[in-house]
Amino acid sequence: EDQVTQSPEALRLQEGESSSLNCSYTVSGLRGLFWYRQDPGKGPEFLFTLYSAGEEKEKERLKATLTKKESFLHITAPKPEDSATYLCAVQAVQGAQKLVFGQGTRLTINP
Amino acid sequence: NAGVTQTPKFQVLKTGQSMTLQCAQDMNHNSMYWYRQDPGMGLRLIYYSASEGTTDKGEVPNGYNVSRLNKREFSLRLESAAPSQTSVYFCASSAGQATGNTIYFGEGSWLTVV
């Protein structure tokens, strides 16, 4: 069974304090690993897709990396507007285009 | 750019009532999905439609039915609502296997069953 575990559940940082969020996964053949951002009362907003171990993608203060067992979302010098819940999901080669989600990490950046 | 549009945004139902959540996408996507999001459970797939004319069960289909009305529209029906169906429902769409598989979400529909 495909499974995704995110840690920590919640993280509080000071503005400018860099850190990383973890996404551990087990999947029967990885088609892609996805990162989404979700603001309160909104739908998930797509950030990145990673397809193979060693791949990295960046967007502003965010960088996502992928290994064969986990993915990290690195946040460099975060700002209060980076506060959100970050969701990780995997898509298996088998099983159409379904996503299996982790429970998310709730990130709060204090000014 | 509307993307994925869901209606209604908020709804309160009494146990046993029926209702339909509507979803439309304007990105010419082939595949559409319905997820529910509950505290501590993450997002779980209810039903999906890989292409127009097809629908398949996801992880938690019991108590729901879907209709892929055309390429743009995918509705979710609760025939006899139960308190356990109180949740936030998200519709999503993607281009499909051949042209990329990023899934884009709507803004959500908050459903309370009392």
Side-chain angles (χ1 to χ4, degrees), chain B:
Chain B
N1 283 346
V4 179
T5 304
Q6 299 178 226
T7 56
K9 191 164 179 70
F10 299 98
Q11 183 72 50
V12 179
L13 287 178
K14 293 183 179 179
T15 298
Q17 286 185 320
S18 62
M19 78 157 297
T20 300
L21 299 176
Q22 306 286 355
C23 175
Q25 51 90 10
D26 62 4
M27 296 175 280
N28 199 34
H29 282 170
N30 291 314
S31 302
M32 297 186 74
Y33 313 81
W34 277 105
Y35 282 85
R36 61 178 288 174
Q37 187 174 37
D38 302 290
M41 300 293 290
L43 280 151
R44 293 179 293 168
L45 182 65
I46 305 171
Y47 270 93
Y48 67 99
S49 171
S51 60
E52 188 178 356
T54 69
T55 60
D56 284 287
K57 295 178 180 179
E59 184 183 352
V60 288
N62 291 343
Y64 305 95
N65 285 303
V66 290
S67 295
R68 183 74 182 267
L69 303 171
N70 48 54
K71 190 172 185 179
R72 289 186 64 246
E73 299 173 285
F74 188 40
S75 63
L76 178 72
R77 183 162 178 83
L78 286 69
E79 292 290 352
S80 179
S84 60
Q85 294 178 305
T86 294
S87 187
V88 184
Y89 292 85
F90 290 99
C91 180
S93 71
S94 71
Q97 287 181 278
T99 54
N101 49 18
T102 298
I103 296 180
Y104 298 92
F105 286 82
E107 292 291 271
S109 296
W110 272 253
L111 176 65
T112 301
V113 183
V114 297

Side-chain angles (χ1 to χ4, degrees), chain A residues 11 13 17-23 35 47-48 50 55-67 70-78 82 86 107:
Chain A
L11 180 62
L13 301 172
E17 180 184 1
S18 301
S19 188
S20 297
L21 313 182
N22 177 262
C23 171
W35 282 98
L47 292 174
F48 305 110
L50 302 168
E55 188 175 1
E56 299 183 354
K57 288 193 176 174
E58 291 189 61
K59 180 180 180 179
E60 297 181 358
R61 295 175 291 282
L62 301 176
K63 183 169 81 171
T65 62
L66 181 65
T67 73
E70 56 191 352
S71 177
F72 292 93
L73 186 65
H74 307 278
I75 302 176
T76 302
D82 295 321
Y86 290 87
L107 177 66

